[in-house]
């Protein structure tokens, strides 16, 4: 064998495993001349990836190493290459490097990943001038070199030791070539994981390099490391997504490097703008240093913007409207504006005429459009639509949903599906007489772009009837979301006289505008097959909606639920009783779900693409929530609820007096109380206290399966 390839197989490159294996087989050097040692360091694999790795392991010249290290003395190749499955190489890659090493008796040869270079380089200083990418370019290294005493750190082969090797090869006197004849590409995602891994790699390299500080190249390479660290630190992902302990690794490495350089040297290497940042780090003011980078980045952005406009106005000092170009292009602008106006007018006239024709074909029957959030079919809108299609097939009722919704299959089997923002959607907005939504139709089910649509067809849709089926039992003052002055619904559905009073008192609707029928989705909460299962389903927080990951991970909300699902007593209880736990945070918070996830056989982390809320509610025996109205669904089914209200001051909804949280379930204000209530409920075989069953009878006027039919009849009456 000529070349032994030591390849790190990791979560971030396994998707390219099969492609890379094919590239190896196409190498001009001959696949039989390659020995592959695949270091399997993955934590998860798909079934297909597992099969591909197992298939490769059956080949004679391939060895999979899952534990331990590489015995370089036992490698069959005379040269060693460290490979990342994110690399893309040409067919002549190994052949050219091997011939070069053999012909010139090199210790190593480096391929070219940087910009074009004029000629091959054999001087370390010249390679360092290429920067970080030049130093870490992929190499073919003589095996005998790696067996020397100074390379014993490779006893543990990983990304950190390989990167240090790349640097060390230029810190010791070796014969090498950096060649422009062999190029390759390295594809990777510049994301949070890449930054964290890169910081760890550079930090390791810095620590290991300290023993070599008497070498001539040490200072130049240290500057490259510092520049690379600042490249990573000066990114939104670093300052906004990494936690303090992760950032501190980078800051510690910077502090080590700052011992080597003075201010003049930093300025000479384009790091002068970071001098205040460096001074803060020297004083151990890490948090202040992070804020400085944020401010520096903002200042740099606005400086660039201002400079761009200043340059423009220097060239165009007079009024734009007085310029020749403005006058010359005026007819074109007018023509373009007129063209848009004419196009919109024809579009409007065409849709209005077509809507009239469609109505004639429908014999002027009443048409209802139903929707909820545009990507879902699991709330009151879906269950009402389902009821209409199954029990009133002659009613012209249509469901509006995104074409790529994970719930699309649920409504497609009932027919009459309209894709959100399609031509048909716009048309049937004019054809329909009534808009029906689990939220408000204007918020969720108007075609995009909503403002332009209202501008064109505001007059035509002004007299449509608007029915709010409700998202859940109202247990808060939600006047900012549904007040009559803002949304002016013609009819709102409620579950009881208590809820009706809330709607009248907080939302401004009259007695005849609120119908007590029960919610549509409650018809589905019967004939239950309940599992001994806990559902954890917290709602969202307004103040966390648009924050970055770094701030979210410091929030009380994250810490509370992260601590809960890792609580020792809680885990011991679900393991002892073999209780599955489903963890599902509000859809508006699911962008942060990955931060909660950890491996446990009893806990499953779900998002809206992998779960249906109505089914989770039906099958679970205990609900742990905070302020969510899904607590009322559980109460309707006479199942126990625990409301974990550790942050009442941060709840963006104000409570109401007619239906209080304590009417729905047990209240826990801290983790100890919550765990105590959970354990008590488990010991009681998930039975509900009689007090809450009594409340359930009071809060819900109807407990049959006729809510949808009552809603259907009241809408018929309202729209006749």
């Amino acid at each position: 064998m000529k070349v032994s390839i030591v390849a790190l197989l990791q979560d971030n490159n396994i998707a390219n495993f099969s492609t890379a294996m094919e590239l190896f087989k196409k190498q001009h050097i001959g696949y039989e001349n390659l020995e592959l040692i695949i270091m399997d360091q993955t934590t998860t694999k798909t079934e297909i990836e597992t099969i591909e790795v197992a298939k490769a392991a059956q080949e004679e010249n391939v060895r999979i190493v899952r534990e331990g290290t590489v015995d370089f003395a036992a490698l069959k190749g005379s040269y060693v290459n460290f490979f990342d499955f994110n690399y893309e190489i040409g067919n002549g890659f190994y052949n050219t490097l091997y011939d070069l090493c053999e012909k010139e008796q090199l210790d190593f040869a480096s391929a070219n990943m940087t910009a074009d270079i004029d000629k091959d380089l054999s001087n370390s200083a010249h390679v360092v001038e290429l920067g970080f990418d030049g130093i870490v370019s992929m190499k073919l290294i003589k095996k005998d070199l790696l067996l020397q005493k100074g390379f014993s750190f490779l006893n543990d082969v990983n990304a950190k030791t390989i990167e240090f090797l790349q640097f060390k090869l230029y810190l010791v006197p070796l014969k090498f070539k950096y060649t422009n004849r062999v190029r390759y590409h390295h594809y990777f995602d510049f994301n949070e994981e890449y930054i964290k891994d890169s910081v760890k790699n550079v930090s390791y390299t810095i620590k290991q390099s300290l023993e070599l500080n008497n070498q001539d190249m040490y200072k130049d390479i240290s500057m490259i490391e510092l520049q690379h660290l600042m490249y990573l630190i000066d990114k939104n992902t670093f300052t906004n997504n990494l936690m303090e302990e992760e950032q501190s690794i980078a800051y510690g490495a910077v502090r080590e490097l700052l011992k080597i350089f003075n201010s003049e040297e930093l300025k000479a290497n384009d790091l002068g703008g970071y001098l205040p940042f460096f001074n803060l780090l020297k004083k151990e003011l890490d948090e202040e240093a992070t804020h400085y980078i944020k401010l520096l980045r903002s200042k740099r952005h606005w400086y660039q913007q201002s400079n761009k406009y200043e340059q423009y106005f220097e060239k165009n000092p007079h009024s734009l409207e007085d310029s020749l170009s403005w006058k010359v292009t005026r007819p074109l602008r007018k023509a373009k504006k007129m063209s848009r106006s004419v196009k919109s007018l024809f579009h409007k006239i065409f849709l209005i005429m077509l809507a009239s024709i469609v109505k004639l074909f429908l014999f002027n029957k009443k048409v209802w459009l139903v929707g909820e959030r545009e990507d879902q079919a699991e709330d009151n809108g879906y269950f009402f639509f389902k009821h209409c299609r199954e029990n009133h097939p002659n009613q012209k009722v249509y469901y509006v949903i995104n074409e790529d919704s994970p719930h699309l299959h649920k409504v497609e089997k009932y027919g009459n599906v309209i894709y959100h923002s399609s031509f048909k959607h716009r048309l049937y907005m004019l054809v329909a007489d009534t808009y029906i939504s689990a939220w408000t139709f204007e918020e969720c089910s108007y075609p995009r772009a909503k403002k332009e649509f209202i501008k064109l067809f505001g007059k035509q849709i002004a007299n449509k009837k608007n029915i709010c089926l409700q998202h859940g039992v109202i247990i808060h003052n939600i006047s900012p979301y549904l007040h009559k002055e803002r949304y002016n619904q013609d009819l709102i559905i409620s579950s009881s006289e208590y809820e009706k009073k809330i709607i009248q008192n907080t939302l401004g609707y009259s007695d005849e505008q609120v119908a007590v029928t029960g919610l549509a989705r409650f018809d589905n909460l019967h004939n239950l097959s309940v599992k001994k299962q806990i559902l954890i389903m917290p709602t969202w927080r307004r103040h966390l909606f648009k924050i970055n990951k770094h701030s979210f991970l410091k929030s009380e909300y994250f810490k509370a639920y992260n601590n809960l699902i890792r609580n020792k007593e809680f885990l011991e209880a679900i393991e002892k009783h073999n209780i599955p736990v489903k963890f599902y945070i509000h859809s508006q918070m699911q962008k942060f779900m990955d931060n909660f996830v950890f491996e446990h056989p009893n806990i499953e982390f779900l998002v809206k693409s992998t779960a249906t809320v109505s089914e989770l509610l039906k099958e679970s025996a205990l609900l742990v929530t905070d302020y969510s109205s899904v607590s009322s669904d559980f109460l309707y089914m006479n199942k126990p609820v625990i409301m974990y209200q550790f942050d009442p001051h941060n709840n963006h909804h104000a409570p109401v007096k007619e239906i209080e949280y304590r009417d729905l379930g047990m209240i826990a204000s801290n983790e100890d109380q919550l765990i105590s209530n959970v354990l008590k409920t488990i010991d009681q075989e998930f039975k509900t206290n009689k007090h809450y069953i009594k409340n359930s009878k009071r809060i819900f006027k109807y407990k049959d399966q006729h809510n949808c039919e009552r809603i259907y009849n009241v809408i018929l009456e309202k729209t006749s």
Side-chain angles (χ1 to χ4, degrees):
M1 299 246 177
K2 294 181 178 179
V3 177
S4 292
I5 302 171
V6 178
L8 299 188
L9 183 63
Q10 299 172 316
D11 293 337
N12 65 3
N13 64 23
I14 191 171
N16 298 324
F17 176 79
S18 299
T19 302
M21 293 300 294
E22 290 302 314
L23 290 175
F24 291 145
K25 293 175 182 178
K26 295 177 181 178
Q27 289 298 303
H28 294 161
I29 199 172
Y31 188 53
E32 68 279 2
N33 287 313
L34 299 178
E35 177 189 25
L36 272 67
I37 295 86
I38 299 171
M39 308 288 291
D40 188 351
Q41 299 175 349
T42 56
T43 58
T44 58
K45 294 189 191 77
T46 66
E47 183 178 351
I48 293 175
E49 289 166 345
T50 302
I51 292 171
E52 289 295 326
V53 173
K55 181 181 175 183
Q58 296 174 2
E59 298 184 17
E60 186 178 347
N61 58 335
V62 178
R63 181 157 52 94
I64 310 293
V65 179
R66 292 185 176 85
E67 294 181 1
T69 186
V70 176
D71 181 1
F72 286 95
L75 295 183
K76 299 175 182 177
S78 52
Y79 292 88
V80 178
N81 166 243
F82 294 95
F83 190 84
D84 182 330
F85 285 99
N86 285 326
Y87 291 150
E88 183 179 291
I89 57 176
N91 295 344
F93 184 86
Y94 289 108
N95 187 61
T96 305
L97 288 180
Y98 179 83
D99 288 346
L100 181 63
C101 287
E102 286 288 289
K103 181 180 179 181
E104 301 192 24
Q105 293 297 296
L106 302 176
D107 292 305
F108 71 91
S110 181
N112 178 28
M113 188 177 68
T114 65
D116 292 347
I117 54 177
D118 296 332
K119 58 183 179 179
D120 292 352
L121 304 175
S122 56
N123 182 289
S124 296
H126 294 157
V127 174
V128 170
E129 288 176 3
L130 298 177
F132 184 83
D133 287 344
I135 293 174
V136 301
S137 287
M138 189 160 52
K139 300 169 177 61
L140 196 64
I141 307 167
K142 198 169 186 178
K143 183 179 74 173
D144 293 343
L145 174 65
L146 301 181
L147 297 176
Q148 295 178 14
K149 182 179 179 181
F151 295 90
S152 59
F153 59 88
L154 284 173
N155 287 338
D156 184 14
V157 177
N158 54 50
K160 292 189 295 186
T161 55
I162 292 173
E163 185 163 306
F164 174 54
L165 171 67
Q166 305 271 38
F167 278 83
K168 181 166 182 176
L169 291 173
Y170 296 106
L171 289 169
V172 292
L174 297 171
K175 187 177 182 183
F176 73 91
K177 272 281 175 66
Y178 184 102
T179 178
N180 188 38
R181 288 177 286 162
V182 184
R183 301 182 186 181
Y184 71 103
H185 298 286
H186 187 198
Y187 298 105
F188 61 91
D189 294 324
F190 190 91
N191 54 21
E192 180 182 336
E193 291 306 314
Y194 171 79
I195 289 181
K196 286 195 287 189
D197 290 343
S198 296
V199 166
K200 290 176 182 176
N201 295 346
V202 174
S203 300
Y204 177 84
T205 297
I206 292 168
K207 290 177 183 177
Q208 296 297 316
S209 299
L210 289 175
E211 63 189 56
L212 305 170
N213 59 9
N214 59 335
Q215 301 297 319
D216 294 337
M217 288 301 302
Y218 176 71
K219 200 164 186 177
D220 291 337
I221 283 183
S222 294
M223 179 56 70
I224 295 294
E225 292 169 340
L226 180 58
Q227 289 171 332
H228 185 62
L229 275 173
M230 292 313 303
Y231 168 72
L232 299 172
I233 290 169
D234 197 354
K235 298 292 180 186
N236 274 323
T237 302
F238 181 91
T239 55
N240 294 345
N241 287 13
L242 269 62
M243 294 300 291
E244 281 87 349
E245 55 268 26
E246 294 166 338
Q247 293 172 345
S248 67
I249 298 173
Y251 293 162
V254 171
R255 275 189 278 267
E256 287 297 325
L257 292 173
L258 290 177
K259 296 174 183 177
I260 304 170
F261 305 105
N262 58 42
S263 298
E264 294 306 315
E265 289 172 319
L266 294 172
K267 290 177 183 178
N269 285 275
D270 297 323
L271 293 174
Y274 296 116
L275 286 178
F277 170 78
F278 294 145
N279 290 332
L280 289 169
L281 288 187
K282 289 177 182 177
K283 296 177 181 179
E284 303 285 338
L285 298 173
D286 290 9
E287 186 175 352
E288 290 80 357
T290 303
H291 286 296
Y292 175 83
I293 287 293
K294 291 180 181 179
L295 290 170
L296 178 65
R297 198 162 51 231
S298 177
K299 179 181 178 182
R300 187 167 58 228
H301 168 77
W302 289 113
Y303 173 80
Q304 292 169 350
Q305 292 296 311
S306 299
N307 190 49
K308 181 177 72 174
Y309 289 119
E310 283 178 8
Q311 291 176 357
Y312 172 81
F313 286 116
E314 283 179 6
K315 296 178 181 178
N316 303 274
H318 51 282
S319 170
L320 179 63
E321 294 184 359
D322 294 332
S323 67
L324 178 61
S325 59
W326 184 263
K327 293 175 181 178
V328 169
T329 58
R330 182 178 290 127
L332 295 175
R333 291 195 310 278
K334 285 185 175 180
K336 187 175 181 180
K337 184 178 179 180
M338 185 177 295
S339 174
R340 285 199 301 264
S341 299
V342 170
K343 185 178 178 181
S344 295
L345 180 61
F346 273 107
H347 177 69
K348 178 178 179 178
I349 293 171
F350 176 70
L351 269 184
I352 292 173
M353 291 177 62
L354 187 57
S356 300
I357 295 171
V358 171
K359 284 184 178 181
L360 289 176
F361 274 99
L362 295 174
F363 302 103
N364 284 318
K365 288 185 177 181
K366 297 289 185 181
V367 174
W368 298 350
L369 293 188
V370 182
E372 42 198 55
R373 284 196 175 110
E374 63 184 61
D375 62 343
Q376 75 175 33
E378 61 177 355
D379 209 326
N380 291 310
Y382 164 70
F383 285 106
F384 178 68
F385 172 76
K386 175 177 178 287
H387 174 83
C388 291
R389 295 298 293 153
E390 289 177 337
N391 297 279
H392 303 282
N394 293 326
Q395 174 63 48
K396 298 300 180 183
V397 57
Y398 299 83
Y399 195 88
V400 179
I401 190 170
N402 283 351
E403 189 173 4
D404 61 354
S405 166
H407 298 164
L408 179 63
H409 66 282
K410 294 174 61 178
V411 289
E412 279 186 323
K413 62 184 178 182
Y414 298 111
N416 285 12
V417 176
I418 295 177
Y419 298 138
H420 199 290
S421 300
S422 63
F423 176 81
K424 186 175 181 180
H425 185 190
R426 300 171 74 87
L427 172 63
Y428 271 73
M429 288 289 292
L430 306 181
V431 173
D433 305 277
T434 304
Y435 302 152
I436 304 168
S437 177
W439 302 83
T440 65
F441 209 82
E442 180 184 341
E443 282 296 304
C444 300
S445 299
Y446 271 31
R448 295 182 294 269
K450 184 172 75 173
K451 288 184 179 179
E452 285 77 358
F453 181 82
I454 294 174
K455 184 178 179 182
L456 276 178
F457 301 104
K459 184 177 179 181
Q460 285 72 29
I461 64 177
N463 296 321
K464 308 292 186 182
K465 295 291 184 183
N466 281 271
I467 313 295
C468 178
L469 298 176
Q470 278 294 10
H471 166 56
V473 175
I474 296 177
I475 57 175
H476 309 102
N477 183 341
I478 58 169
S479 53
Y481 304 95
L482 198 55
H483 200 279
K484 181 175 174 60
E485 290 183 4
R486 172 65 178 88
Y487 290 104
N488 195 24
Q489 301 295 290
D490 294 286
L491 180 69
I492 295 183
I493 300 302
S494 70
S495 294
S496 67
E497 296 299 334
Y498 292 94
E499 186 184 13
K500 182 174 181 176
K501 286 180 182 178
I502 297 171
I503 295 171
Q504 290 179 271
N505 293 339
T506 64
L507 303 182
Y509 289 92
S510 63
D511 181 74
E512 62 272 13
Q513 291 174 317
V514 186
V516 181
T517 63
L519 300 188
R521 72 168 183 250
F522 287 175
D523 283 354
N524 186 52
L525 302 182
H526 295 266
N527 304 319
L528 305 178
S529 178
V530 182
K531 304 174 184 177
K532 192 172 68 172
Q533 170 178 297
I534 297 174
L535 172 61
I536 302 176
M537 185 180 287
T539 189
W540 66 300
R541 301 291 190 277
R542 182 188 299 280
H543 68 286
L544 300 178
F545 184 44
K546 292 185 178 180
I547 66 172
N548 58 47
K549 178 183 173 182
H550 179 269
S551 299
F552 177 76
L553 295 182
K554 294 171 68 176
S555 70
E556 193 177 8
Y557 179 95
F558 171 74
K559 291 176 182 176
Y561 286 105
N562 194 50
N563 290 341
L564 164 61
I565 56 180
R566 288 171 167 79
N567 182 281
K568 184 179 179 181
E569 278 189 274
F570 178 70
L571 294 178
E572 286 176 352
I574 63 175
E575 290 166 7
K576 177 182 176 182
H577 298 281
N578 194 27
I579 299 171
V581 174
K582 308 294 183 181
F583 187 80
Y584 184 99
I585 56 176
H586 193 281
S587 59
Q588 297 197 57
M589 307 296 288
Q590 287 178 10
K591 61 184 177 181
F592 299 118
M593 178 60 98
D594 288 346
N595 301 294
F596 291 101
V597 175
F598 70 103
E599 289 293 326
H600 191 282
N602 291 65
I603 302 179
E604 185 176 5
F605 297 87
L606 301 169
V607 294
K608 60 185 178 181
S609 62
T610 60
T612 302
V613 171
S614 58
E615 294 305 312
L616 288 175
L617 294 172
K618 286 176 65 177
E619 68 185 23
S620 299
L622 168 65
L623 171 68
V624 177
T625 185
D626 40 20
Y627 310 99
S628 175
S629 63
V630 295
S631 55
S632 63
D633 296 54
F634 244 66
L635 183 68
Y636 180 91
M637 295 181 283
N638 293 328
K639 296 193 291 187
V641 176
I642 303 174
M643 307 188 83
Y644 187 19
Q645 299 181 346
F646 55 88
D647 61 343
H649 53 286
N650 276 331
N651 177 20
H652 54 274
H653 290 312
V656 293
K657 62 182 180 181
E658 290 85 356
I659 303 175
E660 298 183 288
Y661 296 129
R662 64 185 180 186
D663 296 330
L664 306 173
M666 296 170 275
I667 308 297
S669 58
N670 57 58
E671 189 173 325
D672 289 340
Q673 289 179 1
L674 175 61
I675 297 301
S676 176
N677 286 332
V678 170
L679 298 180
K680 181 180 177 181
T681 305
I682 292 173
D683 290 340
Q684 294 175 348
E685 296 293 326
F686 297 97
K687 291 179 181 178
T688 309
N689 188 293
K690 292 180 181 179
H691 166 71
Y692 297 113
I693 294 176
K694 185 178 179 180
N695 289 344
S696 180
K697 292 177 180 178
R698 175 176 66 87
I699 292 172
F700 303 102
K701 182 174 182 178
Y702 301 104
K703 279 207 171 185
D704 52 26
Q705 291 180 276
H706 305 300
N707 291 353
C708 285
E709 186 63 20
R710 281 188 286 271
I711 295 170
Y712 177 81
N713 289 329
V714 77
I715 293 177
L716 273 184
E717 180 184 344
K718 195 73 177 179
T719 58
S720 61

